[in-house]
Amino acid sequence: MHSNVRLSGSRDFIRCARGAWLYSVDGHDYVDYLLGQGPNFLGHAPQPIVDAVFAACRDGIIFGGQHELEVRAAELVCDAVGWPDMIRFSMTGTEAVQAALRLARAATGRTKIIRFEGHYHGWLDNVLISQRDGKWGAASAGQLTSHLDDSVILPWNDATAVAEALERHEIAAVIMEPIMINAGVIEPLPGYLDAIRELTRQHSSVLIFDEVISGFRLGLGGGAARYGVTPDLVTYGKAIAGGFPVAALAGNAELMSRFGTGEVNHAGTFNSSVMATAAVTATLTSLLEDPPYDRITQHGNALMAGLREISAAHNVPLRIVGLPQAFHVAFGDADVTDYRSLQQLDLARYEQLSRVLVEHGIWVAGRGVWYVSASHGERELEVALTRFDKALTDWVAR
């Protein structure tokens, strides 16, 4: 395994994937609601995207110089989202977050960053955190704890806590997922994002939305458009490129232009490669010309309703909450507004159930997040619900 995220998942080896389906080397098939941890928003191996990338790469992959596709991709993203002036492409969301934090520190002359419990911003030393014995800190052996000294870690959905921290510290940036999809698919409380936007303006701090998961999944404008709050910087990944490894940092010209002058360094041999920008261009063209959002909403709502009905019929107390594009399944019942309240649910029990679901041909993550793609249709819905019913029958029998 080459990513620790997969350590808790199924050990099956995948032979190939098409649309909303995975096929293992052992001859099993799975209707897929993990989607490679989210990137396969258009389904696996979407033909127009794959064809566009392969056609573009016949003329070269890495030039070490500028090319037309990177300009076209940049213009498409900025125009589709609406508010950013400039964009920088990179390979991973982790890299895009690092560029955003460096840029915010350069612009403000400050070092401290406000971030939130349960929000994920990559695996590097200065952002990776976990909770142990009620305290937040380093999550990995070998991680330099000193690199977290400038992190001010707060509970999410609490504007008062942010206001107090901004008064106590000189804050370079506030970074958050505008909707907490990575853990629990938790939406912001009404007015929360507006309050943080106003507070960051008052204190001349940079507001960064980490939309590596939510960007282009919730709509062309992502969480920023859904909740009507415009950040200063935004990171994208996953749904931006039809499954290809691409991420991006976008924002206003006052901040982003600091890269172009050389004042702030942002480098990467593979940034804006032909493959990456061809994938972004083809994906954005597809999302603009044939928006999948209505049919994804229809499928996600029908899936959640079906899962609830089947769970009730088996007297299995599952909580199924979230958006049709991404929702969360767990055991228990609680008013969940942040990471702390999410822990009131029986997350470990659902992780056990997730293994049974995989055994019955539904590919899902143990942490409870289900992703819906443009390739999920009536057949997938019928198969998923039938297999879910059989899985719960087996679960109850055990």
Side-chain angles (χ1 to χ4, degrees):
M1 292 186 186
H2 298 267
S3 170
N4 279 29
V5 173
R6 301 178 204 147
L7 287 175
S8 61
S10 171
R11 300 303 172 96
D12 282 12
F13 275 69
I14 303 304
R15 175 177 58 84
C16 67
R18 293 289 184 274
W21 294 85
L22 296 173
Y23 302 92
S24 78
V25 297
D26 298 317
H28 301 133
D29 64 57
Y30 304 89
V31 58
D32 184 14
Y33 288 101
L34 178 56
L35 302 177
Q37 304 292 343
N40 295 299
F41 182 59
L42 297 178
H44 291 278
Q47 202 63 50
I49 314 305
V50 172
D51 288 347
V53 172
F54 275 71
C57 288
R58 289 191 186 99
D59 292 326
I61 299 173
I62 300 292
F63 297 141
Q66 287 59 251
H67 56 98
E68 181 183 349
L69 265 176
E70 65 182 356
V71 177
R72 290 174 56 196
E75 290 177 342
L76 271 173
V77 174
C78 291
D79 288 346
V81 176
W83 63 268
D85 301 314
M86 296 179 176
I87 189 167
R88 275 275 178 133
F89 292 111
S90 59
M91 292 291 291
T92 69
T94 293
E95 293 173 82
V97 165
Q98 293 300 311
L101 297 180
R102 177 177 289 179
L103 186 57
R105 285 173 168 144
T108 62
R110 306 167 186 171
T111 61
K112 291 190 178 296
I113 306 293
I114 289 177
R115 20 102 55 108
F116 300 92
E117 299 170 353
H119 290 220
Y120 180 74
H121 304 299
W123 63 275
L124 298 186
D125 282 10
N126 66 332
V127 289
L128 184 65
I129 57 173
S130 67
Q131 186 183 44
R132 295 179 183 177
D133 300 325
K135 296 182 179 180
W136 287 88
S140 172
Q143 186 176 354
L144 294 172
T145 57
S146 60
H147 286 202
L148 292 170
D149 288 349
D150 285 322
S151 289
V152 179
I153 304 168
L154 303 175
W156 194 57
N157 260 332
D158 184 346
T160 300
V162 176
E164 292 173 351
L166 285 166
E167 288 291 339
R168 287 196 308 270
H169 306 284
E170 290 290 318
I171 298 295
V174 175
I175 184 170
M176 70 169 80
E177 297 176 70
I179 171 174
M180 198 172 155
I181 294 180
N182 191 63
V185 190
I186 305 167
E187 292 199 74
L189 293 173
Y192 174 71
L193 296 182
D194 298 271
I196 304 306
R197 174 69 282 185
E198 181 57 30
L199 285 166
T200 52
R201 284 199 182 105
Q202 290 174 8
H203 291 268
S204 300
S205 299
V206 177
L207 178 59
I208 305 168
F209 279 177
D210 186 337
E211 297 223 45
V212 167
I213 298 178
S214 57
F216 299 99
R217 171 168 291 280
L218 304 187
L220 290 173
R226 178 180 178 84
Y227 302 110
V229 175
T230 301
D232 299 303
L233 297 172
V234 60
T235 59
Y236 294 121
K238 300 192 187 282
I240 197 174
F244 284 88
V246 184
L249 170 63
N252 63 58
E254 181 181 357
L255 290 169
M256 295 292 293
S257 62
R258 294 170 185 262
F259 289 132
T261 64
E263 174 193 354
V264 180
N265 185 46
H266 169 244
T269 297
F270 296 100
N271 292 354
S272 75
S273 69
V274 172
M275 177 196 72
T277 51
V280 171
T281 300
T283 299
L284 265 293
T285 299
S286 176
L287 292 176
L288 289 163
E289 293 181 352
D290 182 24
Y293 299 105
D294 287 345
R295 60 181 183 270
I296 288 174
T297 296
Q298 182 179 0
H299 182 94
N301 283 332
L303 178 61
M304 285 192 286
L307 297 178
R308 292 188 189 106
E309 183 178 344
I310 293 168
S311 300
H314 286 278
N315 292 315
V316 175
L318 284 175
R319 176 185 181 273
I320 302 165
V321 176
L323 304 179
Q325 302 92 335
F327 58 89
H328 185 254
V329 184
F331 283 91
D333 185 21
D335 183 16
V336 176
T337 58
D338 59 9
Y339 183 85
R340 296 183 188 188
S341 51
L342 180 67
Q343 305 314 302
Q344 297 175 26
L345 303 175
D346 193 341
L347 304 176
R349 190 181 179 198
Y350 175 79
E351 186 172 1
Q352 295 171 356
L353 175 60
S354 72
R355 298 176 193 145
V356 178
L357 296 179
V358 172
E359 290 173 8
H360 286 77
I362 306 174
W363 195 263
V364 291
R367 69 182 185 277
V369 179
W370 290 49
Y371 292 112
V372 177
S373 80
S375 292
H376 285 102
E378 287 296 324
R379 175 174 175 250
E380 287 75 21
L381 179 64
E382 180 181 354
V383 170
L385 294 179
T386 298
R387 292 181 179 184
F388 186 76
D389 190 16
K390 292 179 180 178
L392 288 196
T393 299
D394 185 35
W395 170 264
V396 171
R398 293 183 186 186

